[in-house]
Amino acid sequence: MSNVAKEPGPQGEESPITQSPPDEKKKREYKDFGHDEEKPTHANVDMSLIELKAEDLYDKEKVDLETIVIDDVFKLLQCDENGLDTQEAERRIELFGPNKLEQEEQNAFLQFLSFMWNPLSWVMEGAALVAIVLSNGDGQPPDWEDFIGIVLLLFINSAIGFYEERNAGNAVKALMDSLAPKAKVKRNGTWSEIESAGLVPGDMISFKIGDIVPADCRLTEAINVSIDQAALTGESLPQSKKLGDQCFSGSTCKQGEAEGVVISTGANTFFGRAASLVGQDDDTTGHLQKILAQIGSFCLVSIGIFVIAEILVLYAGFRYTYRRGLNNILVLLIGGIPIAMPTVLSVTLAVGAQQLAKHKAIVTRITAIEELAGVTILCSDKTGTLTTNKLTIDRATIRTYGPFSADDVMLLAAYASRTENQDAIDSAVVQALGDVSRARAGIKLLDFKPFNPVDKRTEITYREESSGKLKRVTKGMTGIIIELCTRNKSEELENRLEADVEEFATRGLRALAVAYEEVDGDEHESEGNGFELIGLLAIFDPPREDTKQTIDDALALGVKVKMVTGDQLAIAKETGRRLGLGDHMYPAKVLKDGPAPGGKHLSLDEMILDADGFAGVFPEHKYEIVKRLQGLGHLCAMTGDGANDAPALSRANVGIAVEGATDAARGAADIVLTEPGLSTIVHAIRGSRIIFQRMRNYSIYACAVTIRIVVCFAILAFAFKFDFPPFMVLIIALLNDGTIMTLSVDRVLPSSTPDSWDLAEIFSYAVAYGIYLTASTVALVTIILKTSFFYDKFGVTFNGNIYPAGSNDYQLHMIVYLQVAIISQALIFVTRSHGFFFMERPSFALMAAFCIAQLVSSIIAAYANFGFTQIQAISGAWIGIVWVWNIIWFAPLDWIKFAMKATVIKRLREKHAQAQAAQAEQAISGVPITRTQSRAASIHESMYSNRVSFIRRAARKVGFGSKITMKPEELQRFSSIQAARTGATLARNPSRTAAA
């Protein structure tokens, strides 16, 4: 009995299983169910002239929206049971649009240009204007070479970023196209299959068991129809539907066959309205863009300080001419700006998205990858994610009350189950036999009564072939079955049954009672000798085989998993215990009422943070949980599958639509899983942390190079009046960018804790590396200008001279170019490793790109004599000296890294830990904590906002005020409103057949 699990819990009235046995209550519910029908009414208006307005929709004097008859629906929609003709369907497509949620197509040209629309690119664009417009001075022409080089650099970066993002976008589009549902529709009097996007109001559609309802419709024919509306109502078991009832787009037919008339399509469906609650505001920006803005600001401020310093020193102090000073400023602008940063990060994310797709995780907002790496709390659905979403009979817990064994009870229960067109419970019972053929072996079926919401049980009458006797078995809701058991019903039996049901309930199991009687006579309609209660089955939804290990893996990665389920508290607790999540779970009402007075939690925020999960939640509860966790400074991921989950998925830092999710949920989510289970999410977290490490490595490198360029060339200008040619900085930037792009596929190890952008740490490393590399260049130039060391030791000269012809000797420019190009690029091997650089092998792509770039740099140094810029080729001996010089200076870089870790970085981390402890103390004391925005909205940060939204996210209203879960009568009212609105549109645009 200890190896059983919980189950997702049927919550609807039609469930044949129960947890509480008060008979009177069950009877009252039974009566209520049968007495809520009203006689159908007609629209009390001239149907040929009707043109309803919004204010008319609830006017029962015209149309009683709850009970309008199906005939009036046909009149409103100007159609009949033969369906529309092709011409009319095409006209209505123009009128109502396709039956799908709108997706805004991204203009490819604007998408390409958008890569040049951020502050870093603006500086480069400004530098290009400086080169072409402001460089007309001192009798010299505009600096065409630098202008063309800068523009080329911008276009190369934009092209690479555009290509990768477009590829990622196309991958998502292909996924969505593959998920496009089909619909069986009657056109021109004949049935055919089309894409559901082609449906229009007035179409006649047909669906059967296993089909997804393609559009909101009213049923014109229903044969034993059962519809799973869990995505709308959260109910575990399907709803029975009859003639005239409404079915909603995205729900699934679990039993029977039906035909219906489409009353609403696309954005006007119930799911379409729900989707309007989700999406992202146009002026918002993600977590990564916020970080990118701060890194960009660091680089811009660093450049700005030294540009101002150069203006003051070079013009005011040295009295430089206009053009000479401008060239020095261009060097800082071109070399200091990490122009490739937006592109490198975009490419890294896009390549990462393709890698995650191999783990069946389709990324629809690529910046969500970075946020997933930092997720500290994962709020997971139970049903279908933690569990199999497949009801199972626990044979070890079967209770028997008569002469029958547990195996006998199991077999008789299988007799009383359908073997075709099964519902969830019948399927579970039959599958529990192992060999499903045993469910009909040795008996001859005479009569079968399937489950219905009124009787709440199934019943079979059969002839036993071995004895020829007629027998009858029934199974169903405990309270109903015990009332039928006239043979062995007693106070003692009822007490025992009640105790067993309560025990099942406390363990998160559902009870299904089985009774048996023998039939007198040879007619299957004959009376029996009275039912006898023979057994009680325990039904549960078992955990997925990999769930416990996956949760352990998530905990090892520092991610706390909280269960958020619409199921009952007892089931949630049992599931939590079995999976190692813990059983500190609370009903959703605590989110409204707060913690109990005198309890261990002083505030609701503390309770939410401490809880292992919540049960009985509605969509707005999920939304509230996410909002409060974010308010406590956590990055939060939320899973969901239904339209009612969409607001919470949109609110979460990372919204994850699980396998089989509705279009509305997929549209709101950042990541769409195409494989069931939680393991895919943990794979995605691990993959996102690898991607994060690549981005962090690049960020340290980019900031270090900025410091290295601006400080180095400013000091050289101040100390030696050294005027480095701007074009050579462009060459360095171009070769750097080509190499750094390969970081997107670099081999790195994921961290074992949630990642976060500690910018103080990144900037500290960058300053240390940048100043050290600056020293390497300044030392080289000083030795060359002030000593004859290299001539004395190696015999190298400058065009035959021991010393260069001044501080702006063309060959000295080339030596500085080569030294800066080599050691700056080599820095990436230090920033990408945690220990010694040679202990962590880089990817082949990165190593090959580095070697090619250095070969090109060395060839340029040996042979380039560009007439338009101030350089001259140097000898092979000088190239060798520069390489040896760089190797000598490169070796201590790892020790600088270790020294930083032991001093500055250690202090920064201690300070950060103290701040976190103070924040936790504030939470416990009930002091309000400033909410950490997951999507910042400042103007500056939005400059870096993600350019591409791969799935159109409809305008979001953050304050989710009303439930999407609705009562059946409200759903019926909604469907009548849809029919009336569609009819009004058609009345204003009559068809030619109607006009005739």
Side-chain angles (χ1 to χ4, degrees), residues 120 291-301 338 341 763 940 944:
L120 297 178
I291 299 302
L292 186 58
Q294 292 172 289
I295 294 174
S297 298
F298 171 81
C299 296
L300 292 174
V301 168
M341 179 176 282
F763 298 154
H940 176 56
Y944 295 87

Side-chain angles (χ1 to χ4, degrees), residues 971-993:
L971 292 176
Q972 189 169 4
R973 175 183 289 273
F974 181 83
S975 70
S976 298
I977 293 172
Q978 291 173 313
R981 284 179 175 167
T982 305
T985 303
L986 286 170
R988 288 191 291 271
N989 300 272
S991 64
R992 281 181 281 277
T993 53

Side-chain angles (χ1 to χ4, degrees), residues 818-845:
L818 185 60
Q819 193 272 335
V820 170
I822 292 172
I823 201 165
S824 295
Q825 225 176 74
L827 176 65
I828 190 61
F829 296 109
V830 176
T831 65
R832 66 173 294 279
S833 59
H834 297 284
F836 288 105
F837 77 92
F838 52 81
M839 299 296 289
E840 296 180 29
R841 186 162 58 94
S843 66
F844 173 79

Side-chain angles (χ1 to χ4, degrees), residues 109-130:
F109 181 66
L110 293 179
Q111 182 183 352
F112 174 75
L113 292 182
S114 70
F115 278 89
M116 304 182 196
W117 188 256
N118 61 69
L120 297 178
S121 295
W122 295 341
V123 175
M124 288 297 283
E125 288 151 14
L129 290 176
V130 167

Side-chain angles (χ1 to χ4, degrees), residues 2-228:
S2 61
N3 62 346
V4 288
K6 68 294 122 217
E7 93 72 29
Q11 297 169 3
E13 284 185 336
E14 72 285 356
S15 167
I17 48 184
T18 184
Q19 287 186 202
S20 54
D23 297 341
E24 293 78 16
K25 182 177 179 182
K26 292 184 181 67
K27 289 181 181 178
R28 284 197 297 273
E29 288 180 349
Y30 164 75
K31 288 181 179 178
D32 287 345
F33 187 93
H35 291 171
D36 61 2
E37 296 184 6
E38 297 180 24
K39 291 184 178 180
T41 61
H42 292 268
N44 299 322
V45 291
D46 186 343
M47 297 299 290
S48 63
L49 301 175
I50 188 168
E51 184 176 344
L52 293 180
K53 299 176 183 176
E55 58 267 23
D56 297 328
L57 295 178
Y58 287 99
D59 187 350
K60 290 192 176 184
E61 295 301 317
K62 293 183 178 179
V63 181
D64 187 340
L65 298 175
E66 293 185 6
T67 57
I68 181 172
V69 296
I70 200 72
D71 289 343
D72 283 357
V73 172
F74 279 122
K75 290 179 182 176
L76 280 167
L77 301 181
Q78 302 174 18
C79 62
D80 57 37
E81 292 189 353
N82 291 319
L84 304 173
D85 58 40
T86 305
Q87 192 175 2
E88 176 64 10
E90 291 173 357
R91 189 184 76 88
R92 294 193 184 196
I93 278 281
E94 294 294 324
L95 199 58
F96 295 101
N99 178 36
K100 61 182 180 181
L101 299 182
E102 287 298 319
Q103 286 181 239
E104 186 176 303
E105 289 294 325
Q106 183 81 12
N107 183 289
F109 181 66
L110 293 179
Q111 182 183 352
F112 174 75
L113 292 182
S114 70
F115 278 89
M116 304 182 196
W117 188 256
N118 61 69
L120 297 178
S121 295
W122 295 341
V123 175
M124 288 297 283
E125 288 151 14
L129 290 176
V130 167
I132 195 66
V133 176
L134 300 182
S135 291
N136 292 293
D138 296 343
Q140 298 181 48
D143 192 351
W144 285 105
E145 295 84 5
D146 287 341
F147 171 77
I148 292 171
I150 293 169
V151 171
L152 185 64
L153 193 61
L154 281 167
F155 268 84
I156 288 173
N157 276 290
S158 296
I160 294 171
F162 170 79
Y163 173 78
E164 290 294 346
E165 280 203 352
R166 202 71 180 173
N167 272 358
N170 290 339
V172 174
K173 187 174 184 300
L175 167 79
M176 294 306 168
D177 289 344
S178 70
L179 295 175
K182 302 288 186 181
K184 191 174 181 182
V185 63
K186 185 183 268 189
R187 295 267 175 89
N188 302 312
T190 59
W191 290 101
S192 61
E193 189 174 72
I194 64 170
E195 285 194 7
S196 64
L199 292 178
V200 294
D203 264 330
M204 290 297 298
I205 59 172
S206 169
F207 52 86
K208 62 183 184 306
I209 182 170
D211 291 346
I212 295 174
V213 180
D216 289 6
C217 63
R218 292 281 295 273
L219 297 185
T220 58
E221 186 176 326
I223 304 173
N224 198 25
V225 174
S226 181
I227 300 290
D228 181 358

Side-chain angles (χ1 to χ4, degrees), residues 26 41 97 156 270 364 446 571 597 660 786 817 914 970 978:
K26 292 184 181 67
T41 61
I156 288 173
F270 188 85
T364 62
L446 301 178
I571 296 173
K786 301 298 182 182
Y817 156 75
Q914 289 170 359
E970 290 172 332
Q978 291 173 313

